[in-house]
Every structure is written in C-alpha cells, then in structure tokens.
C-alpha cells in the first residue's frame, strides 16, 4: 500500500512560553501514537514536532490513506453458556453474534478453546482498516484532549457551529486555523470549530504573503520560512538564536553570561547545554524568527552588585547580559527581537529605555539597604515567622548559633594537635575563628529584611555577603554569609572557607532536625522544604570538606537547641541521610553491592567513605574475594545463631590442625591489617586479609564449629568472632556475595 507524508498544524494565538516545547512534543507524540495504534503508520515512520509562539504542528512520514484489514479473534462466552446440551446455540449466543453483525450461520464457524479451567467460544472476523480521515479525526481529538495545558481558556465560535456567537470551546488559546495535508491532499478533519485546509498564517508583521498556502506536507518548514518569515522548528529557532547571540557577543569582545562556567566544553557541547537553559528556552518560545540586537545601559549602574543587574535583566526583561574577560558584567546586553527592521534603532532605544528603570530600582534598593547595618536588623528577625511549630527566623537564628558552637566543640575534640589539618590547626582553636562563626550565624538571615532581597528572593545570602563587606565584618564572615546556603543544588560548589562550612552545615542541620522533629518528612516526589537537598549538602560537606566529625554526634548535638519544640528525630534523620548518601554514591557509578557493603557498617565519618569504597572495589577484583565474602557470610550466620559470643580464644582447647593453622595466620595478619586500617589504608588492610582464604576454607572443611562440648564450641565461635570483626572493619564483605 502506497504511503505519503502527513502534516497537521493548529494555528492559535500566542501560547504560554514556559510550556511551549512541552505542548509541541505532546501534540506530535499523541498524534503519532494514535495513528500508529490504528495501523496508519509504517514501521519506519518518523514524527517531527514543530512549535512556535502561534502554532503547534507535526510532520509524520509514511502514513497510509487506509489501514490494512486485521484478523481479530473475540472471546464470546463459556461453551456451557453459549451451547445447550444438544450443542445448539443458546439465545445468549445468538444475541451476542447479532451484536457483532453475524447471523446464526456463524455458529458453525465458532472455535472452542480452553480459557482457564473452562472452555470458551471464540469468533474470528476481519475488521476493516480505518481510513485516514476517520483515524486522523480520532487522533487529533485525542492529541488536543491530552495536551498538558496549565490553564484553559473558554471562547465563543463565530462560524461552523450550532449557535454562532454562543457555542464555546475550551483550549489553551483561541485557535484560528487547522491544516491537515496527506501529501498535497487536504484531509477533511475538524477540531475546535475549525475545518482543515492547506492555509496558515506566517509572521504577524513580516510575512511576505497572507495567508501562507502550503503546496504539500513536505514543504511546511520551507514555505513558512520563505513566505511566512517563521522558523517553525523549536530546536531550529533555538539554535539560530544561539548562533546570533554568540556572534553578537564576539562582536562586543564579550562572553554570554549564560555560558559562564562552560569554558571546558567545546562549542558544540556548550550549545547542547544552552538548549536546556531556561532563559534560552523561554525566549525561543517568545519569538517566531529571532533577531539579536546589542543594547547598552549607563555605566554608573555597574556600581550595583552584578548579580542584581543580571537577575533583573534576565528575570524581568528576558535579556542576555554580557561579561568581560574577567567575568565582570559589562554595560552592554543582548536583546532577542521578534522583528527585523531595516533600522533597528527604535527597537534598541525602546529596550534601553525599558531596562533603565529596572536598574535604577536595583541601585536604589542597594543604596537604601546600606544605610542600615546587618547587625541592626537582627531584632527584626523575631517578627518574621519561619514555621508555626518552630517559631520565627529570630528563634531559628538562635538555634543555628547554638549548633555552630556544638560543631566547633566537636571539631576541637576530634582533632589531636598532631592530626589537625592545616586550616583547623591555624584557625579552629583561635577565638577569632569561633567569633567569626558566631557572627556569621547571627547575621546570615538578616538580608531577608533588606529591600533588595524582598524584591529578588533569589539573592538571599549573596546580598548578605555584600552588606557584610560594607559593614567591615571581614572577608571570612562575608563569604560565610554569602555561602551558607551552599551547596544549593547537585554539583554546586561548597562554601569557600571553614567558617562558611560550619555555618552552612549548622543551617542545614537546623532545617533537617527541625522538620524531622515535627514530623514534616518528604513523601514521594513532594519535598517542600528541600530536605533531600539539605541532606545531600550535609553529606557533601562532611565528605569533601574533610570534617572529622561523627554523623550521629553531629545530629545529637543539634537536638537540644530546639528544646521541647520537637521529638527526638535522631534515628530517623540518620537513616534518611544514609539513604541519600546511598543514592548519591550509586549515581557516581558505584555498584549497589559496593555501596551496601560500606554503608551496612554506618560509617560515622563520611569523609572516609570514598576510601572504603575504593578498597572494597579493589578487594572484589581479587581472585580470593568471592570465597572470602561467602565465608564471611557463613561466619555471620553462625554467630547470629549463637547469640552473644566472646571473642576471646583459648589455644589450649585447639584440637584440629585447621583451627590451629587459622589462629596462627590470624595472629600474624590481623595486627598488620589493623595497623593499616588505623593508618587509613583500607585497601591494603583488605588485601592483607585476602591471604586468609586458604586457612579459612580448610577450617570450614575440617572443623565442626558447633561441637557438642560447650568449651570447644564457644572457643571456635570466639575464633570466628575475632576473624569476623577483623574482616568487617572496612565494610560488610558478606554484601559482596552475589
């Protein structure tokens, strides 16, 4: 059967930009699937989605005008219901056949086949394939019904309806025309009060002709581009916009702010990342043919923190800021226009005029905020409600301060003078360090009361850092205030100094302990307080900042700060953090067995989890590993059944050569392995134990552990307990058993 390509376009008023790509993909996807289900597409059919501010379209290759007939077998009813004792059709069977369009003569053609425990009657028939008109009508109705529309509009129809001016339809935006072309033939389908044709509209202002007539399905994109001044493809429009943005940035000897941090990527890789950028996607959905223009603002505005200017330009105006070689904001920015006039000066001037009040507001907020110190705003936090069960931001600040003191005490007790890392040795035991921590913790939330953060909540923390520098609080305190929300997301950098790490850790612990303490836990995909992200932040800081602090001790010291506001959440919170750590480690490429082996021991110092995992991976690659892991599991089972077992061993009770040999090897290897473990060389510690394979195998072959004599039994169990403790210092090796 011959096939032709199919085009469907729904021309509407401007669609919501933030969901345009999703609407386009959903429209084309459902259309294709529905046609496929009806047998109207071929195995090699391909669907191409189109989406612009005023249209949703789909191009599907190899679509048939008529689907092939299909042989269908239908189960009718059990034989005992359909046939009487003489084998004649019952009234129920005849009625069922009549409903299917068959007469009594079809009874002889029915098939009997087992159906569960009984026999059933089946009817074979040929179902005529759907025509493209009927199939497309059904597919189009389904595609429109299943669009992920955030909010529908209701509007009245003027033509092709029962009551012109009164009949109404519901859709995301009013629809004005429908195109349905199979090759060059119009498919007479209807939707939203529209009848399909071969005409659409191009650019609202710059189309060469109106309407745009489509000769056939395959010239859609080309005809719209040439006659309608529209780039119909969402991705094509986005790539063209990126190309122009880069060209204009280069012309200005600057770099796009949206490409910040992509220096390590190739130009092609960076383009793929940009295609997923929220601003790029939104602007792509606002224009039908992008035209990038260079605009400027007065250099005096550069005295305002660049984060404020960048945010207002991007969030409010959808502009693209430019950075110089040092990463500083320039006074030039890029605008993506939907029109391409011969003289663009009016467009440029209009955008420059529009952005000026925005920047002036930012400058005003910045100047006004600096008239009050952060310290003078502390009392105001008592008037800001944080949570109805946990009190105000002022109470929250007091808790964070108390938790930072507890963390500092843990750091102090965890580090001996010899083992102290360089930064802690230089700072942690100095009063200035603890004073900086307390100051940063006290002032971290005060920028919530500033005009700038009130206007741009995304700048909380960042503005606190600027205002702290203005107040002369020192760079450590300023950076700590700025960084105390970090890491904000996966892959975000950690706070830049130890003061910041301690304050950020305390801030996240306060949130976690408080929310778990009042039973406000994340469920499914709902996590309104971002507790999963906070837990990952705690994990990253403990792991990557090399804080030698036990996790459970960290949680325990935070709980008293809440008084009687919460119930003890220590156990649940600890498990939650380990669960998040497990997920993160598997995402990093560690196997489920490796992660389970290490986390089964609940290692308290998360900074050495990576070393433990590396040791487990190296151990698992050894030829002795499977046998030792299996033996470890066997030992664990023996000890579990035995109950409480003393690890002491009496050599005078040894009878078998195998137990004497195992003990002798253990006496030699276990101290060596323990020394390596204590030195932090987990890989060497496990590899030392790998040589135990032969004596362990011989022990289980030749020795009856659960001997009838109690002394022998307890002694052998004690020997295994000593071995089990030594083998599971780094990880629970039994988890490696497949």
């Amino acid at each position: 059967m011959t096939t032709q390509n199919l085009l469907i376009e729904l021309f509407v008023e401007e669609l919501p930009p933030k969901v345009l790509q999703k609407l386009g993909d959903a429209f084309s996807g459902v259309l294709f699937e529905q046609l496929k289900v009806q047998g109207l597409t071929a195995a090699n059919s391909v669907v191409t989605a189109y989406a612009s501010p005023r249209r949703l379209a789909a191009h599907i290759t190899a679509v048939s005008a008529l689907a092939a007939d299909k042989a269908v077998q239908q189960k009718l009813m059990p034989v005992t219901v359909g046939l009487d004792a003489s084998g004649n059709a019952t009234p129920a069977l005849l009625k069922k056949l009549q409903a299917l369009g068959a007469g009594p003569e079809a009874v002889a053609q029915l098939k009997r086949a087992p159906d569960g425990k009984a026999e059933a009657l089946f009817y074979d028939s040929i179902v005529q394939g759907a025509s493209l008109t009927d199939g497309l009508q059904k597919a189009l109705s389904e595609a429109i019904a299943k669009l992920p529309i955030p909010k529908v509009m209701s509007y009245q129809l003027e033509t092709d309806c029962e009551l012109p001016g009164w009949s109404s339809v519901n859709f995301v935006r009013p629809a004005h025309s429908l195109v349905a072309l199979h090759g060059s033939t119009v498919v007479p389908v209807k939707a939203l009060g529209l009848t399909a044709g071969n005409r659409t509209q191009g650019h609202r202002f710059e189309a060469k002709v109106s309407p745009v007539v489509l000769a056939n399905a395959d010239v859609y994109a080309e005809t719209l581009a040439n006659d309608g001044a529209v780039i119909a493809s969402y991705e094509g429009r986005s790539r063209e916009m990126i190309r122009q943005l880069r060209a204009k940035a280069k012309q200005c000897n600057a770099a796009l702010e949206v490409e910040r941090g992509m220096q390590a990527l190739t130009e092609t890789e960076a383009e793929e990342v940009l295609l997923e950028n929220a601003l790029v996607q939104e602007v792509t959905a606002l224009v039908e043919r992008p035209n990038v223009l260079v605009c400027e603002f007065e250099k005096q505005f550069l005295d305002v923190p660049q984060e404020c200017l960048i945010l207002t330009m991007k969030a409010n105006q959808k502009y693209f800021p430019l950075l110089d070689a040092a990463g500083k904001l320039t006074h030039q920015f890029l605008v993506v226009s939907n029109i391409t006039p011969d003289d663009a000066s009016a467009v440029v001037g209009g955008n420059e005029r529009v952005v000026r009040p925005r920047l002036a507001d930012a400058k005003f907020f910045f100047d006004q905020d600096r008239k009050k110190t952060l310290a003078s705003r502390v009392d105001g936090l008592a008037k800001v409600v944080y949570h109805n069960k946990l009190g105000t931001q002022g109470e929250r600040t007091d808790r964070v301060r108390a938790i930072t003191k507890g963390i500092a005490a843990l750091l102090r007790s965890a580090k001996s003078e010899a083992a102290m890392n360089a930064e802690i040795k230089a700072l942690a035991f100095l009063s200035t360090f603890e004073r900086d921590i307390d100051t940063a913790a006290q002032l971290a939330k005060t920028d919530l009361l500033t005009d700038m953060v009130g206007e741009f909540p995304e700048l909380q923390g960042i503005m606190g850092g600027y205002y702290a520098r203005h107040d002369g609080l020192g760079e450590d305190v300023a950076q700590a205030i700025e960084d105390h929300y970090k890491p904000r997301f996966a892959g975000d950098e950690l706070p830049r100094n130890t003061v910041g790490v301690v304050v950020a850790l305390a801030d996240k612990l306060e949130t976690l302990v408080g929310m778990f303490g009042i039973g406000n836990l994340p469920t499914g995909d709902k996590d309104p307080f971002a507790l999963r992200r906070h837990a990952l932040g705690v994990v990253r800081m403990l792991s990557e900042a090399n804080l030698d602090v036990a996790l459970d001790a960290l949680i325990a010291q935070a709980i008293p700060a809440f008084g009687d506001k919460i119930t003890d959440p220590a156990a649940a919170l600890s498990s939650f953090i380990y669960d998040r750590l497990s997920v993160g480690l598997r995402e990093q490429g560690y196997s489920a067995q490796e992660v389970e082996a290490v986390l089964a021991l609940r290692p308290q110092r998360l900074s050495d989890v990576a070393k433990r995992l590396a040791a487990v991976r190296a151990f698992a690659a050894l030829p002795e590993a499977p046998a030792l892991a299996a033996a470890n599991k066997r030992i664990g089972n023996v000890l579990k059944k035995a109950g409480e077992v003393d690890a002491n061993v009496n050599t005078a009770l040894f009878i078998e050569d195998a137990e004497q040999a195992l003990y002798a090897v253990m006496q030699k290897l276990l101290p060596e392995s323990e020394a390596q473990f204590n030195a932090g060389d987990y890989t060497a510690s496990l590899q030392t134990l790998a040589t135990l394979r032969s004596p362990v195998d011989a022990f289980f072959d030749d020795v009856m552990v659960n001997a009838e004599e109690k002394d022998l039994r307890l002694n052998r169990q004690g020997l295994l307990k000593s071995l089990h403790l030594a083998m599971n210092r780094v990880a629970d090796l039994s988890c490696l058993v497949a």
Side-chain angles (χ1 to χ4, degrees), residues 145-333:
K146 289 187 175 179
L147 279 178
I149 300 174
K151 197 172 185 180
V152 298
M153 293 179 64
S154 180
Y155 60 95
Q156 285 68 47
L157 301 176
E158 298 296 334
T159 59
D160 293 333
C161 61
E162 185 178 352
L163 297 172
W166 291 92
S167 296
S168 63
V169 293
N170 297 318
F171 194 55
V172 59
R173 293 291 185 270
H176 294 295
S177 70
L178 176 65
V179 173
L181 288 174
H182 187 230
S184 58
T185 304
V186 174
V187 185
V189 293
K190 294 185 177 183
L192 303 174
L194 304 169
T195 301
N198 66 343
R199 298 184 175 197
T200 186
Q201 296 293 328
H203 195 286
R204 190 182 288 277
F205 307 110
E206 299 185 344
K208 292 181 181 178
V209 296
S210 180
V212 175
V213 179
L214 302 170
N216 60 67
D218 293 337
V219 298
Y220 175 69
E222 180 184 353
T223 303
L224 266 182
N226 294 335
D227 296 344
V230 170
I231 301 175
S233 167
Y234 183 95
E235 182 179 334
R237 201 164 59 255
S238 191
R239 290 188 186 278
E240 170 59 18
M241 186 177 73
I242 292 170
R243 184 193 66 77
Q244 291 188 39
L245 286 169
R246 285 173 163 174
K248 291 294 185 181
K250 187 175 182 180
Q251 178 182 316
C252 297
N253 294 317
L256 290 168
E257 185 275 335
V258 290
E259 286 195 282
R260 181 165 47 182
M262 298 186 192
Q263 294 85 348
L265 302 179
T266 66
E267 189 169 307
T268 302
E269 290 171 338
E271 181 175 324
E272 296 304 314
V273 174
L274 283 177
L275 288 174
E276 301 299 320
N277 179 272
L279 179 60
V280 170
Q281 290 184 338
E282 187 171 359
V283 176
T284 298
L286 288 169
V287 297
E288 293 205 296
R289 186 174 67 173
N291 178 34
V292 178
L293 303 171
V294 180
C295 301
E296 298 181 353
F297 59 80
E298 289 80 357
K299 291 184 178 180
Q300 67 184 37
F301 291 120
L302 293 175
D303 293 337
V304 179
Q306 68 177 37
E307 292 88 349
C308 308
L309 305 182
I310 289 171
L311 183 59
T312 191
M313 284 193 286
K314 291 171 66 175
N316 295 323
Q317 303 303 132
K318 315 306 174 189
Y319 296 158
F320 289 85
L322 295 176
L323 306 178
D324 63 20
K328 299 295 183 182
L329 183 68
T330 73
H331 70 294
Q332 294 178 304
F333 59 95

Side-chain angles (χ1 to χ4, degrees), residues 1 35-41 63-70 127-132 135:
M1 186 176 294
L35 292 174
K36 182 179 178 181
V37 166
Q38 298 177 75
L40 289 164
T41 60
V63 177
S64 302
L66 182 67
D69 295 343
K70 291 192 297 183
V127 176
Q128 186 177 358
S131 68
L132 178 58

Side-chain angles (χ1 to χ4, degrees), residues 115-152:
D115 181 49
K117 295 182 179 180
E119 258 194 323
L121 295 171
F122 293 85
Y123 175 62
D124 290 335
S125 62
I126 301 296
V127 176
Q128 186 177 358
S131 68
L132 178 58
T133 301
D134 293 340
L136 181 57
Q137 183 66 65
K138 179 180 178 182
L140 183 58
S141 299
E142 193 77 7
I144 291 173
K146 289 187 175 179
L147 279 178
I149 300 174
K151 197 172 185 180
V152 298

